[in-house]
Amino acid sequence: MKLNSNAVSKKQNMKQAALEAFIELGFHQTKIDDIVQRAKVGKGTFYLYFSSKEEVVHFLMDEFIEQFDEIHKWISKETEQKSDLQVVYNQEGKIILELLNKNKNTAKFLLKQGRSVSESIEKRLNDFFNLQTKQASESYRKAIDFGLMSGIDPDYAAFCVVGGITYIYTQWLDDLITDPIDVILEKTLNFYLKALLG
């Protein structure tokens, strides 16, 4: 069912209120009352859009994953056009940086608490990271086939890139890395581009 703009706005408002409550109180400690008070709506309005707190998390994940899918479509197209990979990967890093900055609270919640929400959310998170790794591997494999990259195992390169970037980003979310995010991006890309492109 397609929602009108007013309904979309209400749903986004409740999603944002829920996310703030999850981060502040913890998912399992958050009650529907906490969400509706923050959103300034009644419980009935909440249940018009979400059947439970877990459904809010699924909605958060849907939005987050959809944005990553768009990035992968773009990079696949660029690789097939045999573009300069240094330029492509730099641009990809900047796009992902913008996405992660825009969705900082969503990422923080999913990375810190997501797996404890439910088995179905844990499975979706595992599937998400497996897909990121698979898509990175496919991108590197195409680059090798086109003669744009050599001397690497695409599967292991994908494990290193996705795992490393996830760890760095988590450290930044926890304020354990205090460099500005654009400096982190530059240093990280500098390392990975040298490792991947020689």
Side-chain angles (χ1 to χ4, degrees):
M1 175 179 82
K2 189 162 180 160
L3 301 175
N4 65 37
S5 61
N6 186 41
V8 168
S9 177
K10 281 185 181 177
K11 189 169 186 177
Q12 286 294 329
N13 176 44
M14 283 184 285
K15 175 204 79 173
Q16 192 58 41
L19 181 57
E20 289 169 8
F22 296 159
I23 289 171
E24 185 182 326
L25 307 172
F27 174 81
H28 294 289
Q29 290 73 32
T30 297
K31 297 177 175 55
I32 301 299
D33 285 337
D34 298 317
I35 297 169
V36 298
Q37 283 172 9
R38 286 170 190 257
K40 296 181 173 55
V41 298
K43 268 190 181 178
T45 303
F46 176 87
Y47 286 114
L48 275 175
Y49 298 98
F50 300 106
S51 62
S52 64
K53 294 186 303 181
E54 184 179 336
E55 190 176 337
V56 177
V57 180
H58 280 289
F59 181 65
L60 284 165
M61 288 197 71
D62 290 342
E63 289 187 325
F64 195 63
I65 290 168
E66 185 179 322
Q67 294 174 78
F68 268 91
D69 287 345
E70 290 303 312
I71 293 170
H72 285 296
K73 285 177 194 167
W74 172 79
I75 197 158
S76 179
K77 180 179 161 197
E78 291 296 317
T79 306
E80 285 171 6
Q81 291 177 354
K82 302 185 182 180
S83 302
D84 181 327
L85 287 185
Q86 185 150 354
V87 173
V88 170
Y89 290 150
N90 265 310
Q91 187 62 27
E92 178 190 27
K94 288 176 184 168
I95 293 168
I96 290 174
L97 170 64
E98 288 170 13
L99 169 62
L100 293 174
N101 265 337
K102 185 175 136 192
N103 296 282
K104 186 174 180 179
N105 283 342
T106 299
K108 189 171 193 172
F109 166 68
L110 291 173
L111 289 170
K112 303 293 275 173
Q113 298 185 53
R115 294 184 191 284
S116 73
V117 169
S118 68
E119 285 184 15
S120 65
I121 295 295
E122 181 177 24
K123 181 181 184 317
R124 286 194 72 188
L125 280 167
N126 289 338
D127 290 345
F128 170 75
F129 284 109
N130 289 338
L131 181 61
Q132 301 316 301
T133 305
K134 180 182 175 203
Q135 288 174 325
S137 177
E138 286 171 358
S139 171
Y140 304 154
R141 192 166 273 108
K142 280 183 191 173
I144 290 167
D145 291 345
F146 292 145
L148 300 169
M149 190 183 284
S150 63
I152 65 159
D153 179 300
D155 295 328
Y156 279 90
F159 290 139
C160 292
V161 170
V162 173
I165 288 174
T166 302
Y167 180 73
I168 291 166
Y169 185 62
T170 303
Q171 295 287 96
W172 179 72
L173 287 173
D174 287 342
D175 297 320
L176 298 172
I177 297 177
T178 56
D179 287 333
I181 194 71
D182 56 330
V183 172
I184 296 168
L185 173 69
E186 181 186 346
K187 291 181 178 181
T188 304
L189 279 174
N190 184 47
F191 171 76
Y192 281 122
L193 288 172
K194 284 181 180 172
L196 292 170
L197 304 177

